[in-house]
Amino acid sequence: MSSTNAFTRRGFLTASAGAAGAITLSPLLAACGNSAGKGGASTKAGIQAVLPTFKPLAGGVTPDIPVVSGADGAMTNPGFVKYPTNLVKTVTGKVGSGGTYTAVAPSWNPIPPAGNAYYAAVNRALGANFTSQPANGNTYNTVIPPLIAANKLPDWLAIPGWLNPTFNTGGLVGTRLADLTPYLGGDAILEYPNLAAIPTGGWQCGVWNNRLYGIPSYTDGMDVAGAMLYRRDLLEAKGITPAVKTAADLMALGKEVNNPSGGVWAFDDNRVYLYQVFKVPIGSWYLDNGKVKSANEHPQLLECLDFCNQLAKAGLLHPDAVAGVKTSNPSRFNAGKVIIIGGGLGGWTASDAETGSAAKPGYRVGAFPVFSSDGSTPSIGLTSSSGWVSYLNKNLSPDRIKECLRIANYFAAPFGSYEYNLINFGVEGADYTMGPDGPVRTTEGSNTAADNVYNFFSSAQAQVYNAGYPDITKDLEAWYADAAKYAYKPLFWNLNITVPDQYSKIAAGTELDDAATAVSTGKQPLSYYQEALATWKSSGGDALATWYQQNVADKGLS
């Protein structure tokens, strides 16, 4: 198996609009090739040949804030400041043909009782007996491998991207998992309009060895590592309207708001979110004159670490950040003990506003527009489009695969549709009632219509909606619309790569990351990281770069 990867459970739990990231974000790595599977990297031409045709859905709900197209294929997600009241139907005609299917996905909610009325209502709409079998998300990594070993995979299986190494997805495609290219590649997908409306990047996450195997969920049109966030309410109270366009501006603002005697510090340890400010390549690897190099050795990374060290030495970091205390309740930011943090944009939500307001009334978050350390044109790297992909069992007949794809098309109905409400909330009146900000679950619905029972098998492009907090949606969408102009695809973007086991530890780079943290929190000088980097390179980092060069870049797979 291989290195760190782009997806974490937290990444899903916080993300309709992005998750925390760093240079350690990697390709969609699979386990080593000990099986006869066909999994592995794909060529650019091969990927393009099998990707489904993208076609926005006609007749869906019009968002309050439309999608904005940006650079390098980036596109913002649709935004809604109010919940749609006139639900549209996006699926017409027969869906299922009476087939029976078992499907397994992780769940971090209480498992609903089998055979409940919510399940029955969904099956009536599907015209099929779809049996969802949610498994404990915290132990999902141990639940599925025995099924794989015993050759007892369900008809439909959801695999989070971060578990590709554990499940050896690269070995399962083509041997245990069905090739969907004939059914969904190119214009074939147009038979399934909701699936065709999923952004192309999501489908690329399901491509292995130039064939399409996976169906994406929670596809983001423009997922990024995060942004520099600040307490807008606290700055406004001081009469400060921040205009941060360089690293020097950021430091100056930090010095202005830093107040240790009052129990307030300017910053948390923002190192990984400052990488994009200093233009450190995202995705772990980059090309330098055709040569694959690790982002760990990029010159701008050293500049970033030096800047973070200066912040710490100036006393601008909260003492708990220096001490390595990761969490507190409420968070240092929510409590107003830290003014500026780096954060994943998936955490900028109504839920966060409620938590922050409880900690300090008037709480409001702002985000600095994308900027660069030296004031030059900024850039922001796209992270993986989907951390969730589901697969169909290869033993299914072509007719049953087509039935499953019609079901997937139903599951992928967008926000504001009748199908979306049924899948996510159940039957109106029984499982939920409509409130001013959208569906409100009844007691029955809370027990049965749990979140994400069906969404991990297929779902529409992510949308931005924050019940009761329309300003959050407006602010977030405005930030994304501006950032989209500066987007770029990093090396190996959305590419599934099978890397040998021998590189697992070196790719994780734990000791190197610890050294970077020690420098960024002022505990060690920059030379400490440089020494750790030299050790990392000689211990296998250079060998891993050579592996990527010979097995990916030189073969035109990047």
Side-chain angles (χ1 to χ4, degrees):
M1 59 188 234
S2 186
S3 76
T4 54
N5 47 67
F7 310 117
T8 62
R9 185 171 77 87
R10 179 187 179 278
F12 161 69
L13 294 176
T14 63
S16 66
I23 61 162
T24 51
L25 291 173
S26 297
L28 314 184
L29 298 163
C32 64
N34 293 329
S35 72
K38 299 179 180 179
S42 304
T43 65
K44 290 181 178 179
I47 290 173
Q48 293 303 314
V50 302
L51 283 176
T53 299
F54 172 66
K55 184 178 180 181
L57 183 67
V61 172
T62 301
D64 299 311
I65 303 174
V67 169
V68 174
S69 297
D72 220 359
M75 56 188 295
T76 64
N77 296 316
F80 296 84
V81 298
K82 56 186 180 301
Y83 201 92
T85 54
N86 297 319
L87 302 179
V88 300
K89 287 195 173 185
T90 64
V91 178
T92 58
K94 188 177 181 181
V95 180
S97 303
T100 297
Y101 302 97
T102 58
V104 178
S107 174
W108 288 273
N109 299 297
I111 305 300
N116 62 69
Y118 164 58
Y119 286 179
V122 172
N123 279 343
R124 284 195 297 271
L126 296 178
N129 183 18
F130 184 94
T131 303
S132 176
Q133 298 176 334
N136 188 322
N138 295 320
T139 59
Y140 199 62
N141 63 317
T142 64
V143 170
I144 303 304
L147 299 180
I148 296 172
N151 199 20
K152 293 183 179 179
L153 289 180
D155 299 311
W156 206 327
L157 178 66
I159 301 181
W162 68 87
L163 288 180
N164 277 334
T166 303
F167 294 174
N168 187 19
T169 310
L172 296 177
V173 294
T175 60
R176 309 279 190 87
L177 305 175
D179 182 354
L180 302 181
T181 310
Y183 307 93
L184 297 176
D187 287 348
I189 199 172
L190 300 180
E191 185 175 344
Y192 313 98
N194 286 330
L195 295 181
I198 296 174
T200 303
W203 291 105
Q204 186 169 332
C205 295
V207 174
W208 298 80
N209 198 38
N210 296 327
R211 303 297 290 177
L212 176 62
Y213 290 92
I215 304 168
S217 294
Y218 298 104
T219 299
D220 198 302
M222 185 188 161
D223 194 32
V224 297
M228 296 301 299
L229 309 173
Y230 63 93
R231 283 294 299 270
R232 176 173 170 174
D233 56 314
L234 299 182
L235 293 190
E236 287 179 345
K238 294 177 178 291
I240 298 174
T241 300
V244 173
K245 297 181 180 179
T246 65
D249 291 342
L250 185 65
M251 181 179 285
L253 177 62
K255 290 179 178 179
E256 184 176 0
V257 301
N258 203 51
N259 181 22
S261 63
V264 177
W265 282 262
F267 302 107
D268 241 305
D269 179 14
N270 300 321
R271 168 177 61 94
V272 297
Y273 296 96
L274 285 169
Y275 285 151
Q276 69 184 22
V277 171
F278 281 81
K279 299 185 179 179
V280 178
I282 197 169
S284 296
W285 306 96
Y286 70 103
L287 283 180
D288 182 11
N289 292 321
K291 184 177 180 180
V292 175
K293 288 189 176 182
S294 169
N296 292 315
E297 59 181 318
H298 195 277
Q300 290 301 114
L301 188 145
L302 296 179
E303 288 197 25
C304 182
L305 291 181
D306 184 60
F307 175 76
C308 292
N309 188 269
Q310 292 178 46
L311 297 181
K313 291 294 182 63
L316 302 180
L317 267 64
H318 192 285
D320 283 350
V322 175
V325 178
K326 299 297 183 182
T327 59
S328 56
N329 189 17
S331 74
R332 299 186 283 268
F333 185 70
N334 287 149
K337 302 300 182 183
V338 167
I339 305 298
I340 302 167
I341 65 168
L345 292 167
W348 190 2
T349 62
S351 176
D352 175 70
E354 292 169 356
T355 301
S357 296
K360 193 174 184 66
Y363 175 89
R364 187 171 181 183
V365 175
F368 300 122
V370 179
F371 66 100
S372 67
S373 60
D374 60 1
S376 61
T377 301
S379 62
I380 185 165
L382 299 175
T383 57
S384 299
S385 299
S386 176
W388 294 89
V389 180
S390 70
Y391 299 87
L392 299 179
N393 196 307
K394 188 179 180 182
N395 291 333
L396 293 173
S397 68
D399 284 343
R400 284 167 60 78
I401 288 176
K402 290 177 182 178
E403 184 176 14
C404 286
L405 294 178
R406 293 195 298 273
I407 293 172
N409 183 67
Y410 194 99
F411 292 164
F415 186 81
S417 67
Y418 167 83
E419 299 87 359
Y420 178 94
N421 270 27
L422 176 63
I423 291 300
N424 287 275
F425 300 105
V427 178
E428 185 173 5
D431 299 308
Y432 74 92
T433 58
M434 286 298 291
D437 295 318
V440 178
R441 285 192 171 95
T442 63
T443 300
E444 174 66 19
S446 297
N447 291 331
T448 59
D451 288 335
N452 305 309
V453 170
Y454 299 100
N455 304 99
F456 288 142
F457 303 109
S458 178
S459 57
Q461 178 182 355
Q463 79 290 323
V464 182
Y465 173 68
N466 294 280
Y469 292 88
D471 285 343
I472 294 178
T473 297
K474 293 176 184 177
D475 291 346
L476 187 57
E477 289 281 14
W479 186 91
Y480 269 103
D482 174 71
K485 297 180 292 187
Y486 308 111
Y488 73 91
K489 294 175 181 175
L491 188 66
F492 306 144
W493 180 73
N494 279 351
L495 193 64
N496 288 304
I497 301 175
T498 301
V499 180
D501 271 329
Q502 69 202 63
Y503 297 116
S504 297
K505 183 177 180 180
I506 198 68
T510 303
E511 292 86 357
L512 194 57
D513 188 67
D514 290 343
T517 298
V519 174
S520 69
T521 53
K523 296 176 182 178
Q524 295 287 349
L526 185 61
S527 59
Y528 184 76
Y529 175 82
Q530 292 172 304
E531 292 169 2
L533 174 63
T535 299
W536 179 84
K537 285 167 62 65
S538 63
S539 299
D542 283 344
L544 180 55
T546 298
W547 186 92
Y548 272 108
Q549 184 76 49
Q550 295 175 348
N551 293 278
V552 185
D554 288 348
K555 294 181 179 179
L557 305 182
S558 59

